Amino acid sequence: MPADSNIIVTGDERENTILFQSLPERSKHEDFLRRAVDLLVERVVFGRASRSSKVVEWAAPEDIKKAIDLKPRDGPATHDELLAFMADVARYSVNTAHPYFVNQLFSSVDPYGLIGQWLTDALNPSVYTFEVAPVFTLMEEEVLREMRAIVGWPNGEGDGIFCPGGSIANGYAISCARYYSYPETKTKGVYAVPNLVIFTSELAHYSTRKMAAFMGIGTDNCIAIKSDKLGKMDVEDLERKINETIENGSTPFMVTVTSGTTVFGAFDPIVPVANLCKKFSLWLHVDAAWGGGALMSKKHRHLLNGIELADSVTWNPHKLLAAPQQCSTFLTKHKRVLEEGHSSNAKYLFQKDKFYDTSYDTGDKHIQCGRRADVLKFWFMWKAKGTEGFEKHIDKLFDNANFFLEHIKHREGFRVVLDKPECTNIMFWYVPKCLRGCENEPTYNERLHKVAPKIKERMIKEGTMMVTYQPQGDLVNFFRIVFQNSALDHKDMVYFANEFERLGSDIVV
Ligand code: ABU
């Protein structure tokens, strides 16, 4: 085998083959790649994104096990078999590109984002050194600087990283905040510092608690602040709990506020919390994983007023901005903290005596070693649309969400959870005929709680849309519909409401 060969282990020749080793080999692989890409474009991208296709082809685990030969085999599969596997995987996977997949805080397929993702995979980089990822290293710097400038830090100063998901970004915030106040934790661990405490709202994403456990701070030291009836952090309760924590001998070190809570889409008040953080010398982190995209819109960025006062921000372009999964960023206004807090100086990878400026070897500020270039798909979308395109996208999402809200407010059978939700997730109960007029009966809530799972079952089995539900606090199961796909329009909003009526009006609980 020549030393410079690329190896792809496929199997229609019943032996290991070498990509591009010779013309006949190239022609086999090229034929396979072209057929596979055709299948992706026709059947996965366009075939499944049309409104007339199903959002999901429901199959129970046992059915999927029967339908797809999931067990790895000893021998190679033919190209035809591989193409059939592709079709089966697509068929039984949820069609998140479908306009009626409104179940989660991501959806749709952006053609430019998709190509950016495919280009990333074709190039197969790992972004740790300039040497192996020259373009992506520089691209990350530019994109992250622009995002910091949009946050409002002067000239986009500071630092940032692309990381695998908002939970990890929120973990980076804890790590940076702790290192910033207690740099000795890097070498001596939690044993060298006081009992540190984080504050976040009771409606914040669970990742702060999870990361507090992961990082040895402990979930008991992650204190939940009450939220008001709009779902926003109660700042008086925050101040009270900071004082109590100090009186009890523990040491507050950070507050995480949320811009766009996961279920209610609420935006915590940043400015008053920033004032408290200043008073008590606490790191302020804004988890804008969901709501960060609103910063792109002149009309809606007021929701995040004061974000420039934060020490750090989580912002996931794969959410409101509709970049493909995953595209998550952690941004901080402190230039050195990521590097100093996480670097390990592995000499086998980050040699300081290389022939180029090794400050471009940025991988050591991450806790990962190997790392995908998640920047490319987002950069490519940004090039394709411009900031103006993102602004239009955001404005359309808010317009659709508002239209849907007003539509269901005036429609029989719907009860909204929040009168004025702030983001593009709308929460509501669908009340079937059997429960209408029974609001004062003692079993009403218990019965209403059973409605959403029944509607969801019908919805999934028919595959006509996908909308999630959950209980929250004292509230029994309600639906949360999430608008994040700007290819939807007002007709689609009416479709959703009609579909709830069709699926739910005759349900008996
Ligand atoms: N941070 C992931 C949110 C999951 C969801 O509710 O869509």
Side-chain angles (χ1 to χ4, degrees):
M1 179 190 311
D4 61 350
S5 295
N6 299 313
I7 301 171
I8 278 193
V9 182
T10 59
D12 62 344
E13 307 80 8
R14 305 284 158 187
E15 62 187 72
N16 292 351
T17 57
I18 301 164
L19 183 65
F20 307 156
Q21 185 187 33
S22 60
L23 276 179
E25 298 300 341
R26 174 190 158 124
S27 123
K28 274 183 218 159
H29 288 132
E30 187 173 338
D31 173 68
F32 173 68
L33 289 175
R34 288 188 190 284
R35 288 168 68 200
V37 169
D38 275 354
L39 186 146
L40 284 177
V41 173
E42 290 306 321
R43 292 180 56 179
V44 179
V45 178
F46 287 111
R48 291 157 48 88
S50 77
R51 282 168 176 72
S52 55
S53 66
K54 282 188 170 190
V55 181
V56 55
E57 176 93 32
W58 165 252
E62 287 313 314
D63 301 330
I64 296 179
K65 285 182 197 168
K66 279 186 208 137
I68 310 178
D69 175 13
L70 292 170
K71 199 170 155 47
R73 299 176 178 179
D74 288 338
T78 65
H79 284 177
D80 284 340
E81 286 171 325
L82 293 174
L83 291 166
F85 283 137
M86 286 176 68
D88 285 342
V89 168
R91 177 173 174 190
Y92 293 105
S93 292
V94 171
N95 189 355
T96 63
H98 195 291
Y100 300 151
F101 175 81
V102 281
N103 196 70
Q104 234 70 55
L105 302 182
F106 77 95
S107 71
S108 74
V109 62
D110 182 275
Y112 308 105
L114 181 64
I115 286 297
Q117 181 108 295
W118 286 353
L119 181 55
T120 308
D121 290 339
L123 293 169
N124 195 31
S126 188
V127 196
Y128 29 55
T129 59
F130 181 82
E131 175 181 351
V132 293
V135 178
F136 301 123
T137 302
L138 301 179
M139 191 182 277
E140 281 190 346
E141 277 199 5
E142 278 309 318
V143 170
L144 292 167
R145 180 185 307 282
E146 192 62 29
M147 292 176 81
R148 290 193 299 270
I150 291 170
V151 163
W153 294 324
N155 304 316
E157 289 297 312
D159 202 2
I161 50 179
F162 281 81
C163 49
S167 295
I168 303 297
N170 287 339
Y172 271 108
I174 299 174
S175 178
C176 288
R178 183 168 66 177
Y179 180 81
Y180 187 75
S181 295
Y182 299 96
E184 61 272 33
T185 44
K186 183 173 179 185
T187 48
K188 310 226 175 301
V190 291
Y191 317 102
V193 292
N195 192 64
L196 299 179
V197 173
I198 305 171
F199 303 89
T200 193
S201 125
E202 61 187 352
L203 297 183
H205 191 253
Y206 62 79
S207 54
T208 297
R209 284 172 59 75
K210 207 176 249 246
M211 296 312 292
F214 188 67
M215 293 171 61
I217 286 170
T219 52
D220 286 353
N221 295 308
C222 187
I223 294 186
I225 306 301
K226 279 197 286 197
S227 49
D228 64 18
K229 55 182 186 304
L230 299 175
K232 292 162 165 308
M233 183 187 275
D234 174 340
V235 184
E236 283 179 14
D237 191 47
L238 173 63
E239 181 157 22
R240 194 166 36 247
K241 287 192 171 136
I242 293 173
N243 281 317
E244 277 170 18
T245 299
I246 297 169
E247 281 159 24
N248 292 338
S250 290
T251 306
F253 78 110
M254 80 180 290
V255 180
T256 291
V257 297
T258 311
S259 289
T261 56
T262 310
V263 177
F264 278 3
F267 288 77
D268 289 337
I270 302 176
V271 175
V273 174
N275 291 337
L276 282 184
C277 287
K278 196 165 172 200
K279 176 171 164 190
F280 289 98
S281 299
L282 311 180
W283 180 283
L284 173 59
H285 177 62
V286 177
D287 176 2
W290 171 228
L295 290 167
M296 295 287 209
S297 158
K298 291 187 267 308
K299 195 167 169 191
H300 299 290
R301 75 164 283 140
H302 68 89
L303 291 165
L304 299 102
N305 269 349
I307 192 169
E308 70 285 355
L309 303 171
D311 292 285
S312 58
V313 170
T314 292
W315 177 0
N316 288 3
H318 73 239
K319 290 195 158 110
L320 265 186
L321 294 180
Q325 290 270 25
Q326 267 186 341
C327 192
S328 178
T329 66
F330 170 75
L331 310 168
T332 173
K333 72 174 175 200
H334 302 281
K335 203 164 175 50
R336 304 287 316 151
V337 70
L338 271 166
E339 174 73 29
E340 289 173 1
H342 303 119
S343 60
S344 182
N345 300 308
K347 290 195 175 53
Y348 83 93
L349 188 58
F350 302 110
Q351 306 91 334
K352 294 292 179 208
D353 52 359
K354 285 180 188 166
F355 63 92
Y356 60 83
D357 176 357
T358 56
S359 68
Y360 286 105
D361 289 351
T362 52
D364 213 13
K365 65 186 171 190
H366 295 256
I367 54 170
Q368 287 171 270
C369 179
R371 193 166 60 84
R372 275 175 64 82
D374 284 333
V375 64
L376 176 55
K377 55 202 167 196
F378 182 42
W379 174 85
F380 203 58
M381 285 173 74
W382 207 331
K383 283 281 182 201
K385 298 162 194 291
T387 309
E388 293 164 11
F390 279 132
E391 179 166 28
K392 283 191 191 130
H393 163 80
I394 293 292
D395 290 350
K396 177 117 181 262
L397 302 182
F398 277 87
D399 175 69
N400 277 340
N402 190 49
F403 182 92
F404 181 76
L405 178 74
E406 292 306 317
H407 181 76
I408 61 169
K409 269 186 189 171
H410 300 106
R411 191 160 168 162
E412 196 181 7
F414 290 84
R415 265 180 63 203
V416 295
V417 174
L418 288 186
D419 236 22
K420 280 193 181 83
E422 294 184 281
C423 204
T424 63
N425 28 338
I426 306 294
M427 289 67 58
F428 61 93
W429 289 278
Y430 183 76
V431 184
K433 284 185 186 144
C434 72
L435 273 182
R436 295 181 200 164
C438 304
E439 292 77 7
N440 297 325
E441 289 179 11
T443 57
Y444 178 78
N445 274 337
E446 195 186 310
R447 291 170 69 197
L448 184 60
H449 188 62
K450 294 180 182 153
V451 173
K454 284 184 185 289
I455 295 183
K456 179 90 186 211
E457 181 178 353
R458 288 184 177 180
M459 179 193 297
I460 296 298
K461 289 187 172 162
E462 293 196 29
T464 52
M465 62 179 177
M466 201 158 165
V467 186
T468 194
Y469 71 85
Q470 62 283 295
Q472 176 137 301
D474 296 339
L475 303 176
V476 299
N477 279 328
F478 57 89
F479 283 100
R480 177 197 67 166
I481 190 164
V482 185
F483 299 116
Q484 183 264 1
N485 179 347
S486 53
L488 298 173
D489 56 29
H490 291 182
K491 284 199 297 296
D492 297 309
M493 302 300 116
V494 177
Y495 168 89
F496 290 124
N498 289 346
E499 207 39 31
F500 272 100
E501 191 167 290
R502 188 183 72 80
L503 294 167
S505 66
D506 66 344
I507 275 184
V508 178
V509 284

